[in-house]
Amino acid sequence: LTLRIYYELNAIDSAASLIDTYRHLLLNNKLVPESVKNENLNFINYFSHLFRIKNEFDPENAVMLKKQISERKDIALKYWLIEKIDEMI
């Protein structure tokens, strides 16, 4: 939820810091199932791409990113990512 708020506020530095923290938490926590780790790691990777595209306003890359996300099944909050891309293009 916090990452999505940072996205809406365009808080790049705060989002980058939280992404790094969240990535380390997922990779180092042995109690989180692998499937949950993968879904969330995929989300933060695509979220990072989305944030970059938003700030550069690159509709062509947004369309390509949407295609990549649409083809994957293992992404947390997939529909939110697609919704944000649709708002951009």
Side-chain angles (χ1 to χ4, degrees):
L1 177 61
T2 306
L3 274 178
R4 292 186 285 173
I5 292 169
Y6 288 157
Y7 177 87
E8 298 298 340
L9 296 175
N10 209 30
I12 298 169
D13 293 335
S14 298
S17 177
L18 185 56
I19 286 169
D20 185 57
T21 300
Y22 192 39
R23 181 176 281 122
H24 281 94
L25 172 76
L26 289 169
L27 293 173
N28 295 325
N29 190 330
K30 304 295 182 204
L31 299 176
V32 178
E34 284 300 314
S35 61
V36 173
K37 282 183 187 183
N38 289 333
E39 287 178 359
N40 284 279
L41 288 169
N42 287 334
F43 170 76
I44 58 177
N45 287 333
Y46 285 116
F47 177 89
S48 298
H49 291 296
L50 175 63
F51 217 144
R52 192 172 323 113
I53 290 169
K54 176 186 178 188
N55 288 307
E56 295 170 357
F57 190 70
D58 187 348
E60 286 183 31
N61 278 339
V63 170
M64 289 190 311
L65 182 64
K66 181 179 179 181
K67 184 175 186 249
Q68 291 173 359
I69 291 171
S70 297
E71 292 173 352
R72 304 271 318 245
K73 293 182 182 180
D74 57 343
I75 304 172
L77 301 170
K78 175 179 177 174
Y79 295 102
W80 181 86
L81 292 168
I82 291 172
E83 177 184 316
K84 293 301 158 185
I85 294 169
D86 285 342
E87 289 175 5
M88 212 183 304
I89 53 178

